[in-house]
Amino acid sequence: MTERAILVIAHPGHELRVHGWLEATRPAVWILTDGSGHTGRSRIDSTTRILESAGAVPGPVYGSMTDADLYNTMLGFNHRPFLDLVDKLAAAILHEQVDCIAGDAEEGYNPGHDTCRLIINAAVKLVQHQSSKPIRNYDFTLFGPPDQCPDDLRDRSLWLNLDDEAFARKLSAARNYP
């Protein structure tokens, strides 16, 4: 039986951090923003090419906000769009019978990343109240070395060691990402 997975990230490009897992799991990928940042140019097409080459698919939330929209929504204390995302993600987890979800970690560095993690955790909690099916919930850091993990989390962590070919594909994807 194939594992059903969802990847939820705040911005395009974050999928590169978990490229090996992306290829192995082929999740539906939810992206909160288009990655336009201060340039005003969306990076969603670059991410779409990465997903296609890895065999992953865009999810129903896929760059629907600009980065500015995300931050203005947070600064305006407008919680409704985020609550709607929690409900939509929880419904997808249940409907798609998701086994595993992964996404940005809460690192206190970027409020968009932290909000993404809060959305994921809230959706998983909501599902756990409605279903007895266990859902593995993983986060990954975006800053610092990717091979660092606090000792108290190592037993519950998922570690992938990429072979030379997988590492070469990841490097190529990163180097070709505008």
Side-chain angles (χ1 to χ4, degrees):
M1 181 175 170
T2 304
E3 179 176 67
R4 295 175 189 253
I6 292 177
L7 174 66
V8 183
I9 55 179
H11 312 290
H14 292 187
E15 73 282 355
L16 291 167
R17 186 68 163 197
V18 291
H19 191 270
W21 181 83
L22 190 74
E23 287 185 326
T25 310
R26 299 177 178 200
V29 179
W30 294 47
I31 306 175
L32 302 184
T33 75
D34 67 357
S36 55
H38 65 279
T39 68
R41 287 189 310 270
S42 173
R43 297 187 329 239
I44 207 79
D45 290 342
S46 298
T47 287
T48 300
R49 286 190 295 278
I50 300 248
L51 299 186
E52 287 172 354
S53 69
V57 296
V61 173
Y62 197 71
S64 56
M65 291 181 167
T66 66
D67 289 0
D69 289 341
L70 176 76
Y71 297 120
N72 287 332
T73 300
M74 288 189 292
L75 289 171
F77 298 99
N78 181 3
H79 302 106
R80 177 52 43 204
F82 303 117
L83 295 171
D84 291 345
L85 283 170
V86 168
D87 290 339
K88 191 171 193 172
L89 181 57
I93 291 168
L94 286 167
H95 183 263
E96 300 298 323
Q97 300 178 347
V98 169
D99 304 296
C100 174
I101 189 164
D104 296 349
E106 182 180 352
E107 297 180 272
Y109 176 83
N110 180 298
H113 305 173
D114 295 351
T115 298
C116 182
R117 174 47 45 192
L118 292 171
I119 290 167
I120 295 165
N121 289 347
V124 168
K125 278 276 195 214
L126 195 58
V127 169
Q128 288 171 336
H129 286 294
Q130 298 175 24
S131 170
S132 61
K133 183 178 190 282
I135 299 157
R136 293 182 318 286
N137 183 2
Y138 296 108
D139 63 358
F140 57 90
T141 60
L142 293 158
F143 296 94
D147 61 347
Q148 289 187 347
C149 180
D151 290 336
D152 62 324
L153 296 178
R154 287 185 182 267
D155 291 344
R156 297 175 293 162
S157 297
L158 177 64
W159 292 76
L160 293 180
N161 292 310
L162 303 182
D163 61 29
D164 291 341
E165 293 82 18
F167 187 65
R169 287 190 304 275
K170 179 176 182 166
L171 281 179
S172 175
R175 287 180 178 142
N176 291 308
Y177 197 95

